[in-house]
Amino acid sequence: MNDKEIAALADRIAEGRRSRKVMDFLAADTANLSEADSYKVQFAVHDRLTAGGKDAMAGWKVALTLPSQYEPMKLSGPVFAGIYKSGVRPSGTVFEKGWPIKAGIECEMVAKMAKDVTRGSAAYTAETIKPFVAGFHCGAEVVENRYADVTKVSGPGRIADDVLQAACIVGTEVKDWQKVDFAGLKGRSEFEGKEIGAGPGTNVMGSALISLAWLANRLIEHGRHLKAGDVILTGSVHPPVFLPGPGVARTEFVGLGGTEITIR
């Protein structure tokens, strides 16, 4: 895509997001979008949704962390997308009717950054990223099916529109996180008391620290970087599960804590 086409697509996505209406155009408009161009569109959407102080970038999310998730979409690997300040919510948040359009839940670790992560002498690893981390919280991502048929939206199409991102729920703070075996964690989500998804910490590229280091490196490749204060959704231990209707959803990392939200 040329710059004009990228700008036009970003305009249309940003307007769709502001309207909080179903974006039935996205599948067709992004059918031939390349992975490289999809990030250009995503960054342009960020610019439009934060223009004039209407919102602000609060951090990033890691998504599609398993080959079984990204390979069918013909993507080169896991992906990332933005999180907005308006979408960072505490556990206990109630979402009123109308937004998200059709909510889903994912069980994730949330990292908070203490320092900027700029280009170093070597790529970051799970060990070398630790000094940049302020802490971890048990968290959840609220994803949103804002399309006529999400199954028809390509991988690059999802990247362009922040990979279904709606909200980042920050729950229980993880005490002594430096001693936690993130790979050994078990995460689970439930709706109205019934488990709807579960998985191990290894589903997140091996562990939450591995995915966080991956994100730091990828952002640098794209001319960006993690910043002090950023909130990071490090990836879900299970695929997104869309909720059947109003009710209470919870996520939990066994032995550590979790989150709760209500969908009206």
Side-chain angles (χ1 to χ4, degrees), residues 7-45:
L9 179 55
D11 284 341
R12 197 169 189 196
I13 292 172
E15 179 54 35
R17 294 275 287 276
R18 291 190 201 100
S19 73
R20 294 186 172 179
K21 295 179 180 178
V22 172
M23 294 194 287
D24 54 5
F25 62 85
L26 194 71
D29 282 14
T30 60
N32 297 313
L33 185 65
S34 71
E35 187 172 344
D37 283 343
S38 70
Y39 283 106
K40 295 177 183 178
V41 176
Q42 183 193 124
F43 298 149
V45 171

PDB file of all heavy atoms in Angstrom, residues 7-45:
ATOM      1  N   ALA A   7      -3.286   5.812   4.884  1.00  0.00           N
ATOM      2  CA  ALA A   7      -3.994   6.867   5.601  1.00  0.00           C
ATOM      3  C   ALA A   7      -5.506   6.708   5.481  1.00  0.00           C
ATOM      4  O   ALA A   7      -6.246   6.876   6.458  1.00  0.00           O
ATOM      5  CB  ALA A   7      -3.558   8.232   5.086  1.00  0.00           C
ATOM      6  N   ALA A   8      -5.977   6.352   4.290  1.00  0.00           N
ATOM      7  CA  ALA A   8      -7.418   6.202   4.067  1.00  0.00           C
ATOM      8  C   ALA A   8      -7.982   5.045   4.891  1.00  0.00           C
ATOM      9  O   ALA A   8      -9.071   5.159   5.487  1.00  0.00           O
ATOM     10  CB  ALA A   8      -7.695   5.990   2.583  1.00  0.00           C
ATOM     11  N   LEU A   9      -7.248   3.928   4.934  1.00  0.00           N
ATOM     12  CA  LEU A   9      -7.699   2.781   5.719  1.00  0.00           C
ATOM     13  C   LEU A   9      -7.675   3.113   7.208  1.00  0.00           C
ATOM     14  O   LEU A   9      -8.613   2.776   7.949  1.00  0.00           O
ATOM     15  CB  LEU A   9      -6.834   1.563   5.419  1.00  0.00           C
ATOM     16  CG  LEU A   9      -7.180   0.281   6.181  1.00  0.00           C
ATOM     17  CD1 LEU A   9      -8.634  -0.114   5.980  1.00  0.00           C
ATOM     18  CD2 LEU A   9      -6.248  -0.858   5.750  1.00  0.00           C
ATOM     19  N   ALA A  10      -6.624   3.793   7.650  1.00  0.00           N
ATOM     20  CA  ALA A  10      -6.534   4.182   9.059  1.00  0.00           C
ATOM     21  C   ALA A  10      -7.675   5.117   9.441  1.00  0.00           C
ATOM     22  O   ALA A  10      -8.254   5.002  10.532  1.00  0.00           O
ATOM     23  CB  ALA A  10      -5.190   4.843   9.341  1.00  0.00           C
ATOM     24  N   ASP A  11      -8.025   6.037   8.553  1.00  0.00           N
ATOM     25  CA  ASP A  11      -9.149   6.944   8.803  1.00  0.00           C
ATOM     26  C   ASP A  11     -10.438   6.151   9.017  1.00  0.00           C
ATOM     27  O   ASP A  11     -11.218   6.438   9.933  1.00  0.00           O
ATOM     28  CB  ASP A  11      -9.344   7.897   7.620  1.00  0.00           C
ATOM     29  CG  ASP A  11      -8.316   9.027   7.577  1.00  0.00           C
ATOM     30  OD1 ASP A  11      -7.690   9.308   8.616  1.00  0.00           O
ATOM     31  OD2 ASP A  11      -8.137   9.615   6.483  1.00  0.00           O
ATOM     32  N   ARG A  12     -10.637   5.174   8.164  1.00  0.00           N
ATOM     33  CA  ARG A  12     -11.893   4.414   8.222  1.00  0.00           C
ATOM     34  C   ARG A  12     -11.956   3.559   9.493  1.00  0.00           C
ATOM     35  O   ARG A  12     -13.011   3.465  10.137  1.00  0.00           O
ATOM     36  CB  ARG A  12     -12.017   3.534   6.971  1.00  0.00           C
ATOM     37  CG  ARG A  12     -13.429   3.050   6.751  1.00  0.00           C
ATOM     38  CD  ARG A  12     -13.624   2.407   5.399  1.00  0.00           C
ATOM     39  NE  ARG A  12     -15.043   2.159   5.170  1.00  0.00           N
ATOM     40  CZ  ARG A  12     -15.519   1.354   4.243  1.00  0.00           C
ATOM     41  NH1 ARG A  12     -14.693   0.732   3.432  1.00  0.00           N
ATOM     42  NH2 ARG A  12     -16.828   1.183   4.101  1.00  0.00           N
ATOM     43  N   ILE A  13     -10.832   2.936   9.858  1.00  0.00           N
ATOM     44  CA  ILE A  13     -10.804   2.129  11.084  1.00  0.00           C
ATOM     45  C   ILE A  13     -11.007   3.018  12.312  1.00  0.00           C
ATOM     46  O   ILE A  13     -11.792   2.686  13.213  1.00  0.00           O
ATOM     47  CB  ILE A  13      -9.469   1.358  11.195  1.00  0.00           C
ATOM     48  CG1 ILE A  13      -9.403   0.280  10.104  1.00  0.00           C
ATOM     49  CG2 ILE A  13      -9.326   0.717  12.587  1.00  0.00           C
ATOM     50  CD1 ILE A  13      -8.053  -0.409  10.015  1.00  0.00           C
ATOM     51  N   ALA A  14     -10.316   4.145  12.363  1.00  0.00           N
ATOM     52  CA  ALA A  14     -10.448   5.044  13.514  1.00  0.00           C
ATOM     53  C   ALA A  14     -11.885   5.534  13.663  1.00  0.00           C
ATOM     54  O   ALA A  14     -12.419   5.589  14.780  1.00  0.00           O
ATOM     55  CB  ALA A  14      -9.488   6.218  13.371  1.00  0.00           C
ATOM     56  N   GLU A  15     -12.524   5.869  12.560  1.00  0.00           N
ATOM     57  CA  GLU A  15     -13.913   6.322  12.621  1.00  0.00           C
ATOM     58  C   GLU A  15     -14.825   5.196  13.100  1.00  0.00           C
ATOM     59  O   GLU A  15     -15.747   5.414  13.898  1.00  0.00           O
ATOM     60  CB  GLU A  15     -14.364   6.821  11.249  1.00  0.00           C
ATOM     61  CG  GLU A  15     -15.822   7.293  11.214  1.00  0.00           C
ATOM     62  CD  GLU A  15     -16.146   8.331  12.269  1.00  0.00           C
ATOM     63  OE1 GLU A  15     -15.273   9.179  12.585  1.00  0.00           O
ATOM     64  OE2 GLU A  15     -17.287   8.299  12.803  1.00  0.00           O
ATOM     65  N   GLY A  16     -14.542   3.972  12.642  1.00  0.00           N
ATOM     66  CA  GLY A  16     -15.326   2.831  13.101  1.00  0.00           C
ATOM     67  C   GLY A  16     -15.176   2.606  14.589  1.00  0.00           C
ATOM     68  O   GLY A  16     -16.153   2.314  15.295  1.00  0.00           O
ATOM     69  N   ARG A  17     -13.965   2.760  15.092  1.00  0.00           N
ATOM     70  CA  ARG A  17     -13.723   2.582  16.521  1.00  0.00           C
ATOM     71  C   ARG A  17     -14.435   3.663  17.338  1.00  0.00           C
ATOM     72  O   ARG A  17     -15.020   3.386  18.384  1.00  0.00           O
ATOM     73  CB  ARG A  17     -12.220   2.602  16.792  1.00  0.00           C
ATOM     74  CG  ARG A  17     -11.453   1.434  16.193  1.00  0.00           C
ATOM     75  CD  ARG A  17     -11.471   0.202  17.083  1.00  0.00           C
ATOM     76  NE  ARG A  17     -10.618   0.370  18.232  1.00  0.00           N
ATOM     77  CZ  ARG A  17      -9.296   0.143  18.249  1.00  0.00           C
ATOM     78  NH1 ARG A  17      -8.675  -0.264  17.137  1.00  0.00           N
ATOM     79  NH2 ARG A  17      -8.587   0.309  19.355  1.00  0.00           N
ATOM     80  N   ARG A  18     -14.391   4.889  16.853  1.00  0.00           N
ATOM     81  CA  ARG A  18     -15.057   5.981  17.576  1.00  0.00           C
ATOM     82  C   ARG A  18     -16.576   5.787  17.605  1.00  0.00           C
ATOM     83  O   ARG A  18     -17.238   6.095  18.600  1.00  0.00           O
ATOM     84  CB  ARG A  18     -14.741   7.329  16.924  1.00  0.00           C
ATOM     85  CG  ARG A  18     -13.309   7.795  17.062  1.00  0.00           C
ATOM     86  CD  ARG A  18     -13.179   9.238  16.592  1.00  0.00           C
ATOM     87  NE  ARG A  18     -11.810   9.572  16.242  1.00  0.00           N
ATOM     88  CZ  ARG A  18     -11.333   9.605  15.010  1.00  0.00           C
ATOM     89  NH1 ARG A  18     -12.130   9.335  13.986  1.00  0.00           N
ATOM     90  NH2 ARG A  18     -10.071   9.908  14.783  1.00  0.00           N
ATOM     91  N   SER A  19     -17.126   5.275  16.523  1.00  0.00           N
ATOM     92  CA  SER A  19     -18.578   5.125  16.413  1.00  0.00           C
ATOM     93  C   SER A  19     -19.109   3.982  17.262  1.00  0.00           C
ATOM     94  O   SER A  19     -20.299   3.948  17.584  1.00  0.00           O
ATOM     95  CB  SER A  19     -18.974   4.882  14.954  1.00  0.00           C
ATOM     96  OG  SER A  19     -18.602   3.570  14.548  1.00  0.00           O
ATOM     97  N   ARG A  20     -18.225   3.041  17.591  1.00  0.00           N
ATOM     98  CA  ARG A  20     -18.611   1.843  18.340  1.00  0.00           C
ATOM     99  C   ARG A  20     -19.732   1.091  17.636  1.00  0.00           C
ATOM    100  O   ARG A  20     -20.645   0.545  18.254  1.00  0.00           O
ATOM    101  CB  ARG A  20     -18.989   2.178  19.783  1.00  0.00           C
ATOM    102  CG  ARG A  20     -17.796   2.688  20.590  1.00  0.00           C
ATOM    103  CD  ARG A  20     -18.115   2.895  22.049  1.00  0.00           C
ATOM    104  NE  ARG A  20     -16.887   3.192  22.806  1.00  0.00           N
ATOM    105  CZ  ARG A  20     -16.839   3.440  24.106  1.00  0.00           C
ATOM    106  NH1 ARG A  20     -17.964   3.402  24.807  1.00  0.00           N
ATOM    107  NH2 ARG A  20     -15.704   3.697  24.723  1.00  0.00           N
ATOM    108  N   LYS A  21     -19.618   1.057  16.301  1.00  0.00           N
ATOM    109  CA  LYS A  21     -20.544   0.282  15.491  1.00  0.00           C
ATOM    110  C   LYS A  21     -19.785  -0.846  14.798  1.00  0.00           C
ATOM    111  O   LYS A  21     -18.557  -0.791  14.672  1.00  0.00           O
ATOM    112  CB  LYS A  21     -21.222   1.180  14.454  1.00  0.00           C
ATOM    113  CG  LYS A  21     -22.127   2.245  15.065  1.00  0.00           C
ATOM    114  CD  LYS A  21     -22.744   3.121  13.981  1.00  0.00           C
ATOM    115  CE  LYS A  21     -23.645   4.186  14.602  1.00  0.00           C
ATOM    116  NZ  LYS A  21     -24.221   5.089  13.570  1.00  0.00           N
ATOM    117  N   VAL A  22     -20.514  -1.851  14.351  1.00  0.00           N
ATOM    118  CA  VAL A  22     -19.893  -2.990  13.676  1.00  0.00           C
ATOM    119  C   VAL A  22     -19.162  -2.518  12.422  1.00  0.00           C
ATOM    120  O   VAL A  22     -19.719  -1.785  11.597  1.00  0.00           O
ATOM    121  CB  VAL A  22     -20.953  -4.042  13.310  1.00  0.00           C
ATOM    122  CG1 VAL A  22     -20.347  -5.146  12.438  1.00  0.00           C
ATOM    123  CG2 VAL A  22     -21.554  -4.639  14.569  1.00  0.00           C
ATOM    124  N   MET A  23     -17.895  -2.943  12.284  1.00  0.00           N
ATOM    125  CA  MET A  23     -17.088  -2.557  11.128  1.00  0.00           C
ATOM    126  C   MET A  23     -17.125  -3.685  10.098  1.00  0.00           C
ATOM    127  O   MET A  23     -16.199  -4.500  10.002  1.00  0.00           O
ATOM    128  CB  MET A  23     -15.655  -2.239  11.571  1.00  0.00           C
ATOM    129  CG  MET A  23     -15.564  -1.018  12.467  1.00  0.00           C
ATOM    130  SD  MET A  23     -13.866  -0.404  12.660  1.00  0.00           S
ATOM    131  CE  MET A  23     -13.172  -1.659  13.724  1.00  0.00           C
ATOM    132  N   ASP A  24     -18.209  -3.732   9.336  1.00  0.00           N
ATOM    133  CA  ASP A  24     -18.388  -4.827   8.393  1.00  0.00           C
ATOM    134  C   ASP A  24     -17.510  -4.698   7.147  1.00  0.00           C
ATOM    135  O   ASP A  24     -17.470  -5.602   6.317  1.00  0.00           O
ATOM    136  CB  ASP A  24     -19.854  -4.955   7.984  1.00  0.00           C
ATOM    137  CG  ASP A  24     -20.445  -3.661   7.440  1.00  0.00           C
ATOM    138  OD1 ASP A  24     -19.688  -2.675   7.286  1.00  0.00           O
ATOM    139  OD2 ASP A  24     -21.660  -3.637   7.172  1.00  0.00           O
ATOM    140  N   PHE A  25     -16.773  -3.594   7.053  1.00  0.00           N
ATOM    141  CA  PHE A  25     -15.928  -3.362   5.890  1.00  0.00           C
ATOM    142  C   PHE A  25     -14.522  -3.947   6.033  1.00  0.00           C
ATOM    143  O   PHE A  25     -13.807  -4.089   5.041  1.00  0.00           O
ATOM    144  CB  PHE A  25     -15.784  -1.848   5.641  1.00  0.00           C
ATOM    145  CG  PHE A  25     -15.117  -1.117   6.778  1.00  0.00           C
ATOM    146  CD1 PHE A  25     -13.730  -1.037   6.875  1.00  0.00           C
ATOM    147  CD2 PHE A  25     -15.883  -0.522   7.767  1.00  0.00           C
ATOM    148  CE1 PHE A  25     -13.127  -0.380   7.934  1.00  0.00           C
ATOM    149  CE2 PHE A  25     -15.279   0.151   8.829  1.00  0.00           C
ATOM    150  CZ  PHE A  25     -13.888   0.218   8.915  1.00  0.00           C
ATOM    151  N   LEU A  26     -14.113  -4.273   7.243  1.00  0.00           N
ATOM    152  CA  LEU A  26     -12.688  -4.536   7.478  1.00  0.00           C
ATOM    153  C   LEU A  26     -12.174  -5.770   6.739  1.00  0.00           C
ATOM    154  O   LEU A  26     -11.070  -5.756   6.195  1.00  0.00           O
ATOM    155  CB  LEU A  26     -12.385  -4.664   8.975  1.00  0.00           C
ATOM    156  CG  LEU A  26     -10.899  -4.609   9.297  1.00  0.00           C
ATOM    157  CD1 LEU A  26     -10.348  -3.194   9.101  1.00  0.00           C
ATOM    158  CD2 LEU A  26     -10.610  -5.077  10.714  1.00  0.00           C
ATOM    159  N   ALA A  27     -12.933  -6.841   6.713  1.00  0.00           N
ATOM    160  CA  ALA A  27     -12.472  -8.069   6.062  1.00  0.00           C
ATOM    161  C   ALA A  27     -12.129  -7.810   4.600  1.00  0.00           C
ATOM    162  O   ALA A  27     -11.055  -8.205   4.119  1.00  0.00           O
ATOM    163  CB  ALA A  27     -13.519  -9.165   6.185  1.00  0.00           C
ATOM    164  N   ALA A  28     -13.011  -7.132   3.891  1.00  0.00           N
ATOM    165  CA  ALA A  28     -12.769  -6.856   2.468  1.00  0.00           C
ATOM    166  C   ALA A  28     -11.646  -5.847   2.276  1.00  0.00           C
ATOM    167  O   ALA A  28     -10.793  -6.008   1.394  1.00  0.00           O
ATOM    168  CB  ALA A  28     -14.046  -6.355   1.812  1.00  0.00           C
ATOM    169  N   ASP A  29     -11.623  -4.818   3.105  1.00  0.00           N
ATOM    170  CA  ASP A  29     -10.641  -3.746   2.929  1.00  0.00           C
ATOM    171  C   ASP A  29      -9.216  -4.173   3.268  1.00  0.00           C
ATOM    172  O   ASP A  29      -8.260  -3.514   2.863  1.00  0.00           O
ATOM    173  CB  ASP A  29     -11.020  -2.540   3.798  1.00  0.00           C
ATOM    174  CG  ASP A  29     -12.151  -1.712   3.189  1.00  0.00           C
ATOM    175  OD1 ASP A  29     -12.789  -2.214   2.256  1.00  0.00           O
ATOM    176  OD2 ASP A  29     -12.383  -0.585   3.654  1.00  0.00           O
ATOM    177  N   THR A  30      -9.073  -5.261   4.030  1.00  0.00           N
ATOM    178  CA  THR A  30      -7.732  -5.716   4.427  1.00  0.00           C
ATOM    179  C   THR A  30      -7.382  -7.086   3.859  1.00  0.00           C
ATOM    180  O   THR A  30      -6.394  -7.689   4.248  1.00  0.00           O
ATOM    181  CB  THR A  30      -7.605  -5.768   5.967  1.00  0.00           C
ATOM    182  OG1 THR A  30      -8.590  -6.675   6.493  1.00  0.00           O
ATOM    183  CG2 THR A  30      -7.801  -4.391   6.576  1.00  0.00           C
ATOM    184  N   ALA A  31      -8.173  -7.570   2.916  1.00  0.00           N
ATOM    185  CA  ALA A  31      -7.967  -8.915   2.367  1.00  0.00           C
ATOM    186  C   ALA A  31      -6.590  -9.089   1.751  1.00  0.00           C
ATOM    187  O   ALA A  31      -5.999 -10.175   1.822  1.00  0.00           O
ATOM    188  CB  ALA A  31      -9.053  -9.229   1.337  1.00  0.00           C
ATOM    189  N   ASN A  32      -6.051  -8.032   1.153  1.00  0.00           N
ATOM    190  CA  ASN A  32      -4.747  -8.117   0.495  1.00  0.00           C
ATOM    191  C   ASN A  32      -3.661  -7.335   1.240  1.00  0.00           C
ATOM    192  O   ASN A  32      -2.590  -7.086   0.688  1.00  0.00           O
ATOM    193  CB  ASN A  32      -4.862  -7.591  -0.933  1.00  0.00           C
ATOM    194  CG  ASN A  32      -5.813  -8.427  -1.769  1.00  0.00           C
ATOM    195  OD1 ASN A  32      -5.745  -9.655  -1.757  1.00  0.00           O
ATOM    196  ND2 ASN A  32      -6.720  -7.767  -2.483  1.00  0.00           N
ATOM    197  N   LEU A  33      -3.929  -6.982   2.474  1.00  0.00           N
ATOM    198  CA  LEU A  33      -2.972  -6.213   3.277  1.00  0.00           C
ATOM    199  C   LEU A  33      -1.797  -7.096   3.694  1.00  0.00           C
ATOM    200  O   LEU A  33      -1.993  -8.220   4.160  1.00  0.00           O
ATOM    201  CB  LEU A  33      -3.677  -5.662   4.518  1.00  0.00           C
ATOM    202  CG  LEU A  33      -2.896  -4.723   5.431  1.00  0.00           C
ATOM    203  CD1 LEU A  33      -2.557  -3.416   4.726  1.00  0.00           C
ATOM    204  CD2 LEU A  33      -3.699  -4.445   6.710  1.00  0.00           C
ATOM    205  N   SER A  34      -0.581  -6.606   3.535  1.00  0.00           N
ATOM    206  CA  SER A  34       0.598  -7.371   3.960  1.00  0.00           C
ATOM    207  C   SER A  34       0.832  -7.183   5.449  1.00  0.00           C
ATOM    208  O   SER A  34       0.356  -6.221   6.067  1.00  0.00           O
ATOM    209  CB  SER A  34       1.839  -6.902   3.192  1.00  0.00           C
ATOM    210  OG  SER A  34       2.229  -5.604   3.625  1.00  0.00           O
ATOM    211  N   GLU A  35       1.593  -8.101   6.042  1.00  0.00           N
ATOM    212  CA  GLU A  35       1.914  -7.987   7.467  1.00  0.00           C
ATOM    213  C   GLU A  35       2.707  -6.705   7.742  1.00  0.00           C
ATOM    214  O   GLU A  35       2.458  -6.004   8.720  1.00  0.00           O
ATOM    215  CB  GLU A  35       2.703  -9.214   7.920  1.00  0.00           C
ATOM    216  CG  GLU A  35       2.945  -9.269   9.414  1.00  0.00           C
ATOM    217  CD  GLU A  35       3.552 -10.587   9.874  1.00  0.00           C
ATOM    218  OE1 GLU A  35       3.510 -11.576   9.099  1.00  0.00           O
ATOM    219  OE2 GLU A  35       4.067 -10.636  11.000  1.00  0.00           O
ATOM    220  N   ALA A  36       3.641  -6.372   6.869  1.00  0.00           N
ATOM    221  CA  ALA A  36       4.455  -5.161   7.065  1.00  0.00           C
ATOM    222  C   ALA A  36       3.583  -3.917   7.030  1.00  0.00           C
ATOM    223  O   ALA A  36       3.706  -3.027   7.883  1.00  0.00           O
ATOM    224  CB  ALA A  36       5.542  -5.081   6.002  1.00  0.00           C
ATOM    225  N   ASP A  37       2.669  -3.852   6.059  1.00  0.00           N
ATOM    226  CA  ASP A  37       1.810  -2.675   5.950  1.00  0.00           C
ATOM    227  C   ASP A  37       0.787  -2.613   7.076  1.00  0.00           C
ATOM    228  O   ASP A  37       0.319  -1.528   7.448  1.00  0.00           O
ATOM    229  CB  ASP A  37       1.094  -2.654   4.600  1.00  0.00           C
ATOM    230  CG  ASP A  37       1.999  -2.196   3.462  1.00  0.00           C
ATOM    231  OD1 ASP A  37       3.057  -1.599   3.739  1.00  0.00           O
ATOM    232  OD2 ASP A  37       1.645  -2.439   2.289  1.00  0.00           O
ATOM    233  N   SER A  38       0.431  -3.774   7.625  1.00  0.00           N
ATOM    234  CA  SER A  38      -0.587  -3.776   8.679  1.00  0.00           C
ATOM    235  C   SER A  38      -0.129  -2.985   9.897  1.00  0.00           C
ATOM    236  O   SER A  38      -0.937  -2.317  10.553  1.00  0.00           O
ATOM    237  CB  SER A  38      -0.949  -5.211   9.086  1.00  0.00           C
ATOM    238  OG  SER A  38       0.111  -5.839   9.787  1.00  0.00           O
ATOM    239  N   TYR A  39       1.157  -3.032  10.193  1.00  0.00           N
ATOM    240  CA  TYR A  39       1.657  -2.257  11.334  1.00  0.00           C
ATOM    241  C   TYR A  39       1.680  -0.764  11.017  1.00  0.00           C
ATOM    242  O   TYR A  39       1.444   0.069  11.901  1.00  0.00           O
ATOM    243  CB  TYR A  39       3.033  -2.748  11.766  1.00  0.00           C
ATOM    244  CG  TYR A  39       2.973  -4.035  12.562  1.00  0.00           C
ATOM    245  CD1 TYR A  39       3.364  -5.247  12.002  1.00  0.00           C
ATOM    246  CD2 TYR A  39       2.509  -4.042  13.874  1.00  0.00           C
ATOM    247  CE1 TYR A  39       3.284  -6.432  12.732  1.00  0.00           C
ATOM    248  CE2 TYR A  39       2.422  -5.211  14.608  1.00  0.00           C
ATOM    249  CZ  TYR A  39       2.819  -6.404  14.037  1.00  0.00           C
ATOM    250  OH  TYR A  39       2.725  -7.565  14.754  1.00  0.00           O
ATOM    251  N   LYS A  40       1.937  -0.416   9.763  1.00  0.00           N
ATOM    252  CA  LYS A  40       1.873   0.998   9.382  1.00  0.00           C
ATOM    253  C   LYS A  40       0.463   1.535   9.577  1.00  0.00           C
ATOM    254  O   LYS A  40       0.267   2.661  10.056  1.00  0.00           O
ATOM    255  CB  LYS A  40       2.313   1.162   7.923  1.00  0.00           C
ATOM    256  CG  LYS A  40       3.769   0.807   7.652  1.00  0.00           C
ATOM    257  CD  LYS A  40       4.103   0.934   6.175  1.00  0.00           C
ATOM    258  CE  LYS A  40       5.537   0.505   5.888  1.00  0.00           C
ATOM    259  NZ  LYS A  40       5.851   0.572   4.429  1.00  0.00           N
ATOM    260  N   VAL A  41      -0.526   0.712   9.217  1.00  0.00           N
ATOM    261  CA  VAL A  41      -1.921   1.119   9.422  1.00  0.00           C
ATOM    262  C   VAL A  41      -2.208   1.230  10.920  1.00  0.00           C
ATOM    263  O   VAL A  41      -2.826   2.202  11.380  1.00  0.00           O
ATOM    264  CB  VAL A  41      -2.890   0.129   8.754  1.00  0.00           C
ATOM    265  CG1 VAL A  41      -4.345   0.514   9.065  1.00  0.00           C
ATOM    266  CG2 VAL A  41      -2.662   0.083   7.246  1.00  0.00           C
ATOM    267  N   GLN A  42      -1.772   0.237  11.694  1.00  0.00           N
ATOM    268  CA  GLN A  42      -2.023   0.255  13.136  1.00  0.00           C
ATOM    269  C   GLN A  42      -1.464   1.525  13.778  1.00  0.00           C
ATOM    270  O   GLN A  42      -2.151   2.197  14.567  1.00  0.00           O
ATOM    271  CB  GLN A  42      -1.395  -0.973  13.813  1.00  0.00           C
ATOM    272  CG  GLN A  42      -1.683  -1.053  15.302  1.00  0.00           C
ATOM    273  CD  GLN A  42      -0.833  -2.076  16.033  1.00  0.00           C
ATOM    274  OE1 GLN A  42      -0.135  -1.756  16.990  1.00  0.00           O
ATOM    275  NE2 GLN A  42      -0.895  -3.330  15.594  1.00  0.00           N
ATOM    276  N   PHE A  43      -0.220   1.872  13.452  1.00  0.00           N
ATOM    277  CA  PHE A  43       0.386   3.067  14.046  1.00  0.00           C
ATOM    278  C   PHE A  43      -0.375   4.328  13.625  1.00  0.00           C
ATOM    279  O   PHE A  43      -0.515   5.273  14.406  1.00  0.00           O
ATOM    280  CB  PHE A  43       1.857   3.174  13.645  1.00  0.00           C
ATOM    281  CG  PHE A  43       2.706   2.023  14.110  1.00  0.00           C
ATOM    282  CD1 PHE A  43       3.815   1.616  13.368  1.00  0.00           C
ATOM    283  CD2 PHE A  43       2.412   1.329  15.271  1.00  0.00           C
ATOM    284  CE1 PHE A  43       4.603   0.554  13.790  1.00  0.00           C
ATOM    285  CE2 PHE A  43       3.186   0.265  15.699  1.00  0.00           C
ATOM    286  CZ  PHE A  43       4.295  -0.130  14.947  1.00  0.00           C
ATOM    287  N   ALA A  44      -0.871   4.338  12.391  1.00  0.00           N
ATOM    288  CA  ALA A  44      -1.659   5.481  11.917  1.00  0.00           C
ATOM    289  C   ALA A  44      -2.993   5.571  12.655  1.00  0.00           C
ATOM    290  O   ALA A  44      -3.481   6.672  12.945  1.00  0.00           O
ATOM    291  CB  ALA A  44      -1.880   5.382  10.411  1.00  0.00           C
ATOM    292  N   VAL A  45      -3.590   4.419  12.960  1.00  0.00           N
ATOM    293  CA  VAL A  45      -4.820   4.407  13.759  1.00  0.00           C
ATOM    294  C   VAL A  45      -4.542   4.962  15.156  1.00  0.00           C
ATOM    295  O   VAL A  45      -5.317   5.761  15.692  1.00  0.00           O
ATOM    296  CB  VAL A  45      -5.406   2.981  13.842  1.00  0.00           C
ATOM    297  CG1 VAL A  45      -6.563   2.932  14.847  1.00  0.00           C
ATOM    298  CG2 VAL A  45      -5.897   2.524  12.469  1.00  0.00           C
TER     299      VAL A  45
END
